Amino acid sequence: MVDDRRSLHPGTGADEAAWLESLLGLEHSLRKAPTREVAVRIMLDETRNLFSFRMAVLFGRFAGKRWRVQGASHVVDPDPQGPFLSWLTALLHQWTFEEPLFQPQRIDTTRLSAAQRFLWEQWLPPHGYWVFLVSPSGPPMAGIIWFCDTPLSPRQLWLLGHLGGSFGETWERFVVGRCLLHPGRWLRRLKPGGAVFLTLTVVTVFAFIPVHLTVLAPARIVPIDPVAMNAPLDGVVARIFVQPNQEVREGTSLFRLEDTELENRHAIALKGLEVEAANLENARRKGFHDDRSRFEVALLEAAVAMKEAEVRFAAGQLALVEVRALRDGVAVFNDPNQWLGRPVRVGESVMVLADPGKVEVEGWIPVADAIALERGTRVGMFLNIHPHQPLAARLVMADFEARPSPEGLLGFRFRARFEGEVDGVRLGLRGAARIEGARVRLWYYLLRRPLAFLRQKTGW
């Protein structure tokens, strides 16, 4: 072996020094390679400074799976699905490697079938050599096929074996090391049945990890203690004075009902009052000389009082047709055009006044997802406009009985108040609320819905 190393690179002493310098430089570059891609390029391309070859292809496998192309000389991004590399990969899977695996192995084309030998002659030079990238911590996880126009000498084969060890350390550093020595490798070292026992142990341990029982529910941002502006009497909406989400001051006119009928009633009441007042005045004048007229005065005074009450009632209703804001806030309602000409009943809400700085979360939990909730439960609000930034809130109210939601689905309504000040949150925004319930075991968290379905269908 010592003699082989001395004659590894025949030539003068200067040539031998240059060759050694190239080998050391190659290994130094591999140690300094920042990424796996750079290391692959060094393995496949810079090796030409040590010996001559036409092509080199690097294969790798992970967790004992099939070989896959990881790189090819002079190709930045090789296509593993191309005809040549697909054929070469299939050939590699059919090849039987000889022991010891850490030594370079010559691919004997005479052992190939006629079809494979024909394709080899069409695409490749006559000589091919396979070198495992030896891993210090386990079975080889990669290898390189070198294709040469001339057969390699024993000295060059020794060089390939040396490079297989150096390249193997680099490959393990970038691939196996980053995967923490892939779990599949540890499982392969276990005794028969050990992998099953280890798997059951891990699953059992994880099954009893305590986690919060959570539920997701559609939710939206609603005002806190809004003031409902209702229709004061039966009528038809004649005009809307404000726009949706417009800020208004106390006393600002919001909307007005049709007042034609009320004005007519008020006019009729005034005319009736004038008639009764005239009859009362006539009866008083006649009462000085007519006893019958004097007796009618009291009756006519009552009739005048009733007509005055009718006039006051009509005037009061006429004053209610225009609704004004009871406080400062934002007018929250739908499109004004949907309200114009629409009949409303007394007490029907047309709009609400809300303080834009006082908002909370309102949502509906589907009946199938209902969990036990307590006041103060943590709630995370994920708005659709920025779902990556949850807003922290605390539950303040939840229904005890399910009822139809605005979407027509049966559910439990809840409300939650934000913790501290929130920016960029306005009325009407929608999203999903995540409600954290009591702590349960992981197995119950995962199997709660399937168990409930099974019990409902089978009664078990």
Side-chain angles (χ1 to χ4, degrees):
M1 182 63 69
V2 175
D3 296 335
D4 289 343
R5 292 185 183 183
R6 289 178 179 176
S7 58
L8 183 62
H9 189 79
T12 63
D15 293 336
E16 183 77 15
W19 181 84
L20 270 180
E21 183 178 357
S22 298
L23 177 60
L24 294 177
L26 174 66
E27 295 181 339
H28 178 75
S29 299
L30 283 177
R31 287 194 297 270
K32 297 297 184 180
T35 63
R36 185 181 68 175
E37 290 73 17
V38 174
V40 170
R41 295 267 61 83
I42 294 174
M43 295 178 192
L44 300 179
D45 294 334
E46 295 190 12
T47 316
R48 292 184 182 275
N49 298 328
L50 299 177
F51 70 99
S52 177
F53 60 91
R54 183 189 299 185
M55 181 187 303
V57 181
L58 171 64
F59 289 87
R61 62 181 177 182
F62 306 92
K65 296 183 179 179
R66 297 172 62 86
W67 293 103
R68 292 185 296 176
V69 176
Q70 301 297 316
S73 59
H74 299 294
V75 180
V76 176
D77 188 15
D79 182 13
Q81 305 302 323
F84 168 68
L85 292 180
S86 297
W87 169 80
L88 188 60
T89 303
L91 177 63
L92 183 63
H93 288 144
Q94 299 172 8
W95 192 260
T96 302
F97 299 105
E98 300 176 356
E99 296 290 343
L101 298 180
F102 59 85
Q103 290 185 355
Q105 302 185 23
R106 180 177 178 273
I107 299 179
D108 188 1
T109 56
T110 59
R111 295 170 53 187
L112 303 178
S113 64
Q116 292 175 336
R117 188 163 53 253
F118 174 77
L119 292 176
W120 183 292
E121 294 173 353
Q122 293 293 321
W123 282 330
L124 298 171
H127 304 284
Y129 298 90
W130 168 262
V131 179
F132 276 109
L133 303 191
V134 181
S135 174
S137 60
M141 303 293 292
I144 300 178
I145 297 181
W146 309 89
F147 299 101
C148 307
D149 293 305
T150 59
L152 298 182
S153 66
R155 302 175 183 84
Q156 291 172 325
L157 291 177
W158 177 89
L159 173 63
L160 288 185
H162 175 78
L163 293 179
S166 300
F167 292 173
E169 294 178 357
T170 302
W171 184 259
E172 184 177 43
R173 175 164 61 93
F174 282 109
V175 179
V176 183
R178 291 188 178 182
C179 296
L180 297 179
L181 300 179
H182 195 281
R185 305 188 70 197
W186 291 99
L187 294 178
R188 287 196 301 270
R189 295 183 179 183
L190 295 176
K191 296 180 180 180
V196 176
F197 176 77
L198 178 61
T199 302
L200 292 177
T201 302
V202 172
V203 171
T204 303
V205 171
F206 275 94
F208 286 89
I209 294 178
V211 295
H212 280 286
L213 185 61
T214 61
V215 61
L216 287 176
R220 61 173 182 167
I221 303 299
V222 297
I224 298 177
D225 299 329
V227 176
M229 304 307 299
N230 304 327
L233 42 85
D234 295 345
V236 175
V237 178
R239 185 177 179 185
I240 301 290
F241 297 102
V242 296
Q243 296 297 319
N245 299 328
Q246 177 181 333
E247 293 187 4
V248 298
R249 297 291 183 182
E250 182 179 354
T252 302
S253 297
L254 300 178
F255 63 93
R256 184 182 181 86
L257 302 180
E258 183 62 47
D259 58 357
T260 302
E261 183 178 356
L262 295 177
E263 287 182 348
N264 292 336
R265 289 180 182 178
H266 184 255
I268 293 173
L270 287 176
K271 290 297 183 180
L273 177 60
E274 291 178 3
V275 171
E276 295 296 338
N279 292 335
L280 176 60
E281 185 64 25
N282 187 30
R284 285 174 177 174
R285 285 197 300 267
K286 291 181 179 181
F288 290 106
H289 53 79
D290 185 0
D291 293 338
R292 182 178 179 181
S293 298
R294 190 167 53 252
F295 293 142
E296 291 178 352
V297 170
L299 181 61
L300 292 174
E301 287 178 347
V304 169
M306 184 180 65
K307 291 298 181 181
E308 290 176 346
E310 291 180 358
V311 170
R312 289 194 299 271
F313 177 75
Q317 284 198 315
L318 192 60
L320 293 177
V321 295
E322 186 167 311
V323 179
R324 299 178 180 274
L326 301 179
R327 73 175 191 187
D328 298 345
V330 173
V332 181
F333 64 105
N334 296 327
D335 185 4
N337 296 325
Q338 296 181 357
W339 285 99
L340 296 179
R342 176 177 170 178
V344 292
R345 304 289 297 177
V346 59
E348 182 177 350
S349 178
V350 177
M351 62 182 68
V352 297
L353 294 180
D355 186 347
K358 297 180 179 180
V359 294
E360 62 183 0
V361 179
E362 181 187 65
W364 293 81
I365 303 176
V367 174
D369 295 332
I371 60 176
L373 299 176
E374 297 181 357
R375 184 181 179 88
T377 298
R378 290 194 300 179
V379 177
M381 180 62 181
F382 298 85
L383 296 176
N384 292 335
I385 59 174
H386 44 74
H388 60 288
Q389 297 178 353
L391 303 176
R394 292 283 180 176
L395 191 72
V396 295
M397 185 277 297
D399 287 345
F400 287 99
E401 185 176 356
R403 52 174 171 163
S405 67
E407 288 76 18
L409 302 177
L410 199 63
F412 297 89
R413 186 173 70 100
F414 69 90
R415 284 179 175 260
R417 296 281 174 86
F418 289 109
E419 296 181 338
E421 298 293 333
V422 289
D423 298 328
V425 178
R426 62 173 179 83
L427 295 173
L429 291 180
R430 292 181 175 270
R434 184 187 63 192
I435 308 171
E436 291 188 359
R439 283 184 174 271
V440 296
R441 300 301 178 183
L442 182 60
W443 69 267
Y444 177 80
Y445 179 88
L446 298 176
L447 300 178
R448 181 175 68 95
R449 293 290 296 274
L451 288 176
F453 177 81
L454 182 63
R455 184 176 294 275
Q456 292 172 2
K457 295 300 181 180
T458 64
W460 172 76

